Amino acid sequence: KETKIAYDFGLRIHVGSSPFEKSKIVDFAPRYMLINKLDRRLRLKQRGSQDTFTLDSHSEMVYYVGDHSLKKELQIGDSIAISDDDFEWSSPFMLEDIEEFQLRFRARGPRGEGASTKAWYMPNKFNGYHYFVRVSVSVVHGSIIAVTFSNPMKPEYIIWNHTATPLYFTQLKTNKDQESISPKQAYFYTWDDRLQPTKALKVKIYRDEHEFPLEKLMNYDPIRTPAGDLHVSCFTEDVSRVLEFHNPTEVGGELRTKRRKTTRFNKGTAIGEIAEEAKKQKVNVKIQLEGIGVSIIDNTPREQFYLSIYDIYFEGYREIEGKNNESMGVKMTIEHIQLDYMVGNRFPVLFAPKKLMKQMKRKKGTGDGYDSMTDEERDPEEEAAEEQERAKAEADATPFIQFQIHRILMKDSAESKHVMEKYVLCQLSIQEMDLQSSQDLIMSLMGPLSSLRHKFGNDARLASMQSGKHSLQLTDLLPALNASAPEIPDNILEQSTRKIYLETLLLGALKLNVSFKVSRKKSAAVLLDPNAFFGLGSVIQTVGGAAASISNSPLYFKELILSDSFNTPDYIINTIGKNYLNQAILQFYKVLGSSDLIGNPVGLVDKLGSGVFEFFNEPRKGALKGPNEFVGGVRKGVQSLVKSVVSGGMGSISMISGSLFTIVKDVSGGNDDGSEDAEDRLKKPEGALDGIATGIKGGAREIKDGVTGLFTKPIEGAKRQGAKGFFKGVGKGILGAAASPFAAILSVSNSVSSGIATSVGDRVEKNGRFRHPRYFGPRKTLREYNEGYALGQSVLAVIADRKYQLEAVVYCTLLPTREDKPARLVIITTEYLLAIDKAEKLSAEIELRHITDFGLHQTEKGRYLVVNSKPKPDKDEVKASIKSPDLDKLVKLHEVLNSYLRRTSLVSVSG
């Protein structure tokens, strides 16, 4: 009869790395690899099978399941004198379960003669003459299951008998013979059948039997015995679970000290031998930083992002005890973290705490700048009072991030590479935060990232190989094409199966307010390869085009506590990740309910809920104080309810009308030229009256654009595409004119409702940019950050309908005026001299090439810098006066203007 042999293979289908993203690679490899890192040979068999095989010490082999009608479970045993009795073999374990555990099997002979008694995991009377083996099952190369056998570091379980009578025990629901523990002795243990769903010990105490699950940490009820009450407790000692039996009279310092000393089971140390404590070495470090800033700059150069980390406190220590143990602790707090997008003003802050950052000491620029110019004018008493208020606020405030960790490293010996990590405490707390992003931002980032990948990734290496510059093989670019036998890493135990003991992990509750803006503006960013980044570009374009913008979607994540966990870091991280992912999935309705297209009903319900709560809570608080306070509480409650109803309702109307306005403009081709996004037309009013005025202006503008578009769009189309473009323009003009009344109504509705919501509701302040975008100057060189010049460049980008946004700042200063008026910002650009009021309105605009003369003047009314210019030869001169009581700054302004005009030879004047 022909014998059929079944082979197990691991199959992995994956996408190749760049530049082979469109290639699918199919890997065939051995499914199971057995690795023996012990100093002795092992004998193995499939559970239920009579066939056995050996695995030599420090070797590895490919394993094929012998009988596929049986479960894929293995057992190990001593390579000498193995009988068919179950007790000679270890507990079975599943080949497909990725985990780490310990097994034990009885040594040869009735009492393990010839076996070493030095290490706890070798056969001796304290472990029932068993070998203990650490088994690590992990995945290698995506499809290979590697089973590694090695020496364990600490026992999984210890049973302590502090009583005067022997104890007899066995695992519950097994057929194993009972084992015994002598009085006043410890016994090392691991499960005889670890596949049992219920893991518990059945212990015989005198004549009675009791069950104790070792996975649960607890103090059991006292057990009555002829010798008195017996106390039982299950706790952790280092990374071992300890089941302790003791009498009440022994619960004290003597017993605890005794247990600590006798449980030092280091490699090469006899059981019960007390290791002499070495001198401790301890290092303490304390660091406090005012802040750290990181700029990301493109090749224009232009600052794209700025990450600011403010008020950092770090405290850490490292303590070495002897040669085998080391402990480390870290405590860190961060007051504020913020990521700013320095291009555009739609979402200037991408990430920031919800709590406002007030009265902080920001970095001052060199030379003239906003901070350096205003500090001189401040009252010292007022500055001292503000400093005290700021110090008090900082003392009472909770830091944005609080992190604390205490870790202990333990070794078998000073020479051992096997390190056991114990985390006594891991704690992380993050306060409420705002996350904001937009479709434009994500798409704009994909271009540079794709360029970097092509420049520094395998694409560049492939081009080099094809050109013959380097003798690279295809397997160098794509290691998956290497058909040789797979290599098992030497550090496989430290990669995916290394376990850590986590005594306490505490992750505080977290709240995120998520906002996302969809853009329908056509830009170069959307022309990226849709397959780039695993199709992320296509997903963003599709979802972004179909979905509406989301405003302040609240996501709540509950507090997470893990205790007494002994698992691999990957398992712990996956457990935490799944917990937060499940919570996020359950809150997905909040994201959909925060859509601007339907008026953000989640936000509306939140506001109404707050109003209803205040409606009942304020009278209740007042009633506790007296009749008059009760009346005042009723008034406050009614006001809060009306505010929440009106502001919430008007806010929802504003969002709906704004989203519909954007859709109408998009459908009618109102922003096909890319000059202005539809959302940019919707100005946010400061109150009800301002909303009415803004709405009327916006509605009139829409009607005007619709009418003029009948004539301008055909002409623009003819210029771009000739006759074809002309007829396209005619169609767009007609569609725009037909849609303009609807756009006008929606614009008025948005402005009026937004103005009412703003005036009635409480003003919600948010963190603005940490600082203004970096200024590079006319030469485009990177220099030390200057707050004054950065302020000037930021103002130029927004004033006069962005007329001066391309101008480079030559000089910038803030000139104080009268005490009852704000200071005036004066900027010299490469072509203009501009004076700007605090409201960002131009009070003086002079082209440098038209200046005829200038000079300083002083009269009874004050000091002036007078500049005469003649924009047109046939017109009279125009005189502009810049007034300030600060003579030094006027003189400095005069000197810079004179020097720049002479250096550039724009005009020949003498000031």
Side-chain angles (χ1 to χ4, degrees):
K1 184 178 179 179
E2 184 180 354
T3 303
K4 294 184 178 180
I5 302 176
Y7 294 96
D8 300 281
F9 291 99
L11 175 64
R12 180 188 177 205
I13 303 176
H14 58 101
V15 179
S17 58
S18 175
F20 304 102
E21 301 97 331
K22 297 183 179 180
S23 301
K24 287 188 177 180
I25 301 173
V26 182
D27 285 339
F28 291 93
R31 181 58 175 168
Y32 305 107
M33 295 283 294
L34 305 181
I35 306 161
N36 185 4
K37 292 183 174 292
L38 299 170
D39 295 328
R40 57 188 178 277
R41 180 189 297 177
L42 291 175
R43 185 172 292 275
L44 300 93
K45 74 163 187 170
Q46 186 179 3
R47 186 184 190 183
S49 173
Q50 300 300 321
D51 299 330
T52 66
F53 60 94
T54 59
L55 180 61
D56 292 335
S57 63
H58 300 286
S59 67
E60 60 185 51
M61 65 175 290
V62 176
Y63 172 68
Y64 297 104
V65 176
D67 190 345
H68 282 79
S69 64
L70 301 174
K71 293 182 178 180
K72 296 180 181 180
E73 300 174 356
L74 284 184
Q75 292 176 281
I76 62 174
D78 200 341
S79 61
I80 303 175
I82 294 292
S83 70
D84 293 335
D85 296 330
D86 282 342
F87 72 86
E88 300 288 356
W89 292 95
S90 72
S91 162
F93 65 92
M94 294 289 296
L95 283 173
E96 301 285 345
D97 290 346
I98 310 303
E99 56 181 334
E100 180 181 315
F101 48 89
Q102 290 183 17
L103 297 177
R104 67 171 188 163
F105 56 87
R106 194 177 298 278
R108 66 179 179 86
R111 302 185 64 83
E113 285 81 358
S116 171
T117 59
K118 288 294 183 180
W120 71 267
Y121 49 80
M122 300 298 288
N124 56 71
K125 66 178 182 179
F126 296 99
N127 62 24
Y129 296 96
H130 287 85
Y131 284 107
F132 282 73
V133 177
R134 174 191 180 196
V135 183
S136 303
V137 184
S138 58
V139 177
V140 183
H141 302 305
S143 60
I144 302 173
I145 294 181
V147 183
T148 307
F149 304 99
S150 61
N151 288 324
M153 180 180 178
K154 301 287 184 181
E156 272 192 318
Y157 304 101
I158 304 173
I159 305 173
W160 265 106
N161 182 9
H162 286 290
T163 69
T165 183
L167 301 176
Y168 301 91
F169 71 95
T170 186
Q171 183 179 351
L172 189 66
K173 297 182 180 181
T174 60
N175 297 323
K176 299 291 184 180
D177 294 335
Q178 287 187 337
E179 300 176 60
S180 63
I181 310 175
S182 302
K184 310 297 182 183
Q185 282 191 356
Y187 196 89
F188 309 132
Y189 181 75
T190 191
W191 300 111
D192 293 314
D193 187 355
R194 62 180 317 276
L195 299 183
Q196 284 282 353
T198 303
K199 294 185 175 66
L201 287 182
K202 182 170 64 176
V203 182
K204 184 177 181 180
I205 305 173
Y206 290 92
R207 295 182 179 180
D208 299 326
E209 291 184 343
H210 304 268
E211 297 179 6
F212 302 99
L214 298 186
E215 300 298 324
K216 190 173 183 180
L217 304 181
M218 62 180 298
N219 292 319
Y220 292 90
D221 294 334
I223 300 173
R224 294 186 178 277
T225 67
D229 288 348
L230 188 67
H231 288 244
V232 184
S233 57
C234 186
F235 57 92
T236 60
E237 184 82 17
D238 289 336
V239 295
S240 303
R241 295 287 175 92
V242 180
L243 183 65
E244 183 181 70
F245 299 86
H246 56 82
N247 296 320
T249 55
E250 293 181 306
V251 181
E254 181 179 355
L255 174 60
R256 296 291 177 181
T257 303
K258 182 178 181 180
R259 184 172 67 232
R260 283 197 300 269
K261 289 182 178 179
T262 54
T263 53
R264 295 173 183 265
F265 307 114
N266 295 326
K267 183 178 178 180
T269 303
I271 302 302
E273 180 181 345
I274 301 175
E276 181 181 356
E277 288 198 30
K279 293 183 179 180
K280 295 181 178 179
Q281 302 177 11
K282 190 171 184 179
V283 178
N284 292 294
V285 177
K286 291 184 179 181
I287 301 175
Q288 188 159 8
L289 299 174
E290 182 178 352
I292 297 174
V294 179
S295 291
I296 299 178
I297 302 168
D298 62 16
N299 60 354
T300 305
R302 182 173 62 175
E303 190 173 44
Q304 294 284 336
F305 300 94
Y306 182 70
L307 174 65
S308 53
I309 307 175
Y310 177 74
D311 197 356
I312 307 167
Y313 176 76
F314 175 89
E315 181 179 349
Y317 77 90
R318 183 186 180 196
E319 182 177 331
I320 300 176
E321 181 179 353
K323 297 181 179 180
N324 302 342
N325 294 331
E326 175 184 328
S327 62
M328 179 205 72
V330 170
K331 180 181 179 182
M332 184 171 67
T333 62
I334 299 176
E335 180 65 29
H336 191 91
I337 295 181
Q338 183 170 318
L339 178 62
D340 297 336
Y341 183 46
M342 311 305 280
V343 181
N345 294 310
R346 176 162 299 174
F347 272 150
V349 180
L350 302 180
F351 166 82
K354 182 71 173 179
K355 181 183 67 175
L356 289 179
M357 189 177 183
K358 295 182 178 180
Q359 299 185 9
M360 66 180 144
K361 294 180 178 179
R362 300 193 180 187
K363 181 179 178 181
K364 297 178 181 180
T366 56
D368 284 317
Y370 182 82
D371 291 329
S372 59
M373 289 180 286
T374 55
D375 286 346
E376 303 171 4
E377 310 299 327
R378 300 183 63 185
D379 185 3
E381 295 183 0
E382 180 184 350
E383 188 174 359
E386 289 184 3
E387 181 66 23
Q388 291 180 0
E389 184 179 349
R390 186 186 67 84
K392 182 180 179 182
E394 289 182 352
D396 297 337
T398 302
F400 175 56
I401 293 180
Q402 300 177 85
F403 173 72
Q404 187 173 357
I405 187 171
H406 178 205
R407 185 185 71 168
I408 299 175
L409 301 180
M410 296 170 287
K411 292 184 179 181
D412 288 326
S413 63
E415 296 79 17
S416 175
K417 294 182 180 180
H418 185 193
V419 179
M420 180 65 70
E421 294 182 66
K422 176 181 179 181
Y423 290 84
V424 180
L425 175 65
C426 295
Q427 184 175 358
L428 176 64
S429 175
I430 304 177
Q431 303 302 310
E432 183 178 357
M433 68 182 79
D434 294 330
L435 294 176
Q436 303 181 116
S437 186
S438 65
Q439 183 184 354
D440 280 344
L441 171 62
I442 297 175
M443 298 301 295
S444 64
L445 286 176
M446 291 178 64
L449 291 177
S450 180
S451 300
L452 288 174
R453 187 191 62 174
H454 288 300
K455 185 173 183 179
F456 298 103
N458 282 338
D459 293 25
R461 299 178 64 191
L462 178 62
S464 177
M465 181 182 71
Q466 293 174 341
S467 64
K469 294 181 180 180
H470 296 88
S471 58
L472 294 173
Q473 302 295 325
L474 194 58
T475 53
D476 295 329
L477 300 178
L478 200 58
L481 296 181
N482 190 345
S484 60
E487 296 184 1
I488 305 299
D490 294 334
N491 61 339
I492 184 174
L493 293 178
E494 286 72 29
Q495 282 187 346
S496 59
T497 61
R498 176 181 59 88
K499 282 190 175 183
I500 61 174
Y501 179 70
L502 194 59
E503 187 170 311
T504 303
L505 171 68
L506 175 59
L507 302 179
L510 179 64
K511 180 182 179 183
L512 303 177
N513 301 305
V514 180
S515 298
F516 183 80
K517 289 293 182 184
V518 173
S519 175
R520 294 175 174 83
K521 182 190 293 186
K522 296 180 180 179
S523 63
V526 300
L527 301 178
L528 292 172
D529 180 8
N531 293 321
F533 300 97
F534 307 101
L536 180 60
S538 178
V539 171
I540 293 174
Q541 292 180 45
T542 303
V543 176
S549 299
I550 297 167
S551 298
N552 295 322
S553 176
L555 302 180
Y556 299 90
F557 297 90
K558 298 178 181 178
E559 182 181 63
L560 176 63
I561 300 177
L562 292 179
S563 60
D564 299 307
S565 174
F566 185 55
N567 276 295
T568 63
D570 288 344
Y571 177 84
I572 295 174
I573 293 173
N574 289 336
T575 300
I576 296 172
K578 288 179 181 178
N579 170 71
Y580 284 111
L581 178 61
N582 291 337
Q583 292 189 60
I585 292 173
L586 292 176
Q587 298 181 82
F588 187 68
Y589 73 93
K590 292 184 179 180
V591 178
L592 299 178
S594 299
S595 171
D596 292 351
L597 186 61
I598 55 177
N600 193 358
V602 171
L604 175 61
V605 171
D606 187 51
K607 282 189 176 182
L608 293 178
S610 299
V612 172
F613 174 77
E614 294 294 330
F615 178 74
F616 292 102
N617 189 50
E618 290 296 336
R620 181 191 63 82
K621 292 193 299 183
L624 296 175
K625 298 179 181 179
N628 294 332
E629 287 77 5
F630 173 75
V631 175
V634 171
R635 184 176 64 254
K636 289 182 180 178
V638 172
Q639 289 176 350
S640 178
L641 180 61
V642 172
K643 273 187 177 182
S644 63
V645 171
V646 176
S647 63
M650 289 294 108
S652 294
I653 294 174
S654 173
M655 291 180 185
I656 294 173
S657 57
S659 297
L660 293 177
F661 175 82
T662 304
I663 293 173
V664 168
K665 296 297 292 183
D666 181 46
V667 171
S668 62
N671 60 334
D672 281 351
D673 57 354
S675 58
E676 185 180 21
D677 201 327
E679 290 190 18
D680 293 335
R681 295 190 172 212
L682 300 176
K683 308 297 182 183
K684 190 171 182 64
E686 298 181 357
L689 295 178
D690 186 32
I692 295 173
T694 304
I696 294 174
K697 290 180 182 178
R701 180 182 178 183
E702 296 303 324
I703 298 295
K704 174 189 171 185
D705 290 348
V707 174
T708 57
L710 289 170
F711 307 97
T712 58
K713 289 188 177 182
I715 297 174
E716 292 172 358
K719 289 181 179 179
R720 289 195 297 265
Q721 295 179 307
K724 181 181 179 181
F726 174 80
F727 290 106
K728 280 186 178 181
V730 171
K732 288 182 180 180
I734 295 173
L735 183 60
S740 61
F742 301 99
I745 294 172
L746 292 172
S747 177
V748 173
S749 173
N750 174 267
S751 298
V752 173
S753 58
S754 179
I756 295 174
T758 302
S759 60
V760 174
D762 297 327
R763 292 182 179 271
V764 179
E765 295 185 67
K766 290 189 175 183
N767 285 295
R769 285 194 179 111
F770 189 85
R771 62 162 175 76
H772 297 291
R774 180 180 292 274
Y775 169 73
F776 290 92
R779 297 184 180 180
K780 305 296 183 181
T781 56
L782 183 63
R783 60 178 71 181
E784 183 180 358
Y785 183 78
N786 185 296
E787 180 73 16
Y789 284 92
L791 171 64
Q793 192 71 54
S794 299
V795 172
L796 289 179
V798 296
I799 63 171
D801 293 331
R802 303 178 183 177
K803 175 183 177 181
Y804 307 103
Q805 61 178 342
L806 300 180
E807 288 289 318
V809 178
V810 176
Y811 180 73
C812 176
T813 185
L814 197 62
L815 293 179
T817 57
R818 295 186 307 181
E819 295 181 358
D820 58 338
K821 289 189 177 182
R824 177 181 290 120
L825 182 65
V826 179
I827 304 174
I828 300 177
T829 72
T830 51
E831 296 183 11
Y832 292 92
L833 171 64
L834 305 173
I836 305 161
D837 294 335
K838 200 67 174 179
E840 297 182 351
K841 294 182 179 179
L842 281 173
S843 59
E845 177 188 17
I846 305 168
E847 282 195 68
L848 299 183
R849 60 191 180 91
H850 293 154
I851 295 178
T852 56
D853 64 84
F854 59 94
L856 294 174
H857 299 270
Q858 181 169 352
T859 65
E860 296 179 354
K861 295 182 179 180
R863 303 183 179 97
Y864 301 85
L865 173 65
V866 179
V867 181
N868 295 319
S869 63
K870 196 170 184 179
K872 296 182 179 180
D874 57 340
K875 300 290 183 180
D876 295 336
E877 284 189 341
V878 178
K879 178 183 292 187
S881 299
I882 300 175
K883 179 182 178 182
S884 175
D886 193 326
L887 180 60
D888 293 337
K889 290 190 175 182
L890 282 176
V891 171
K892 177 68 174 177
L893 176 62
H894 178 274
E895 292 176 353
V896 172
L897 180 61
N898 185 53
S899 175
Y900 181 73
L901 292 176
R902 292 180 181 277
R903 186 172 67 251
T904 57
S905 301
L906 285 174
V907 292
S908 178
V909 297
S910 59

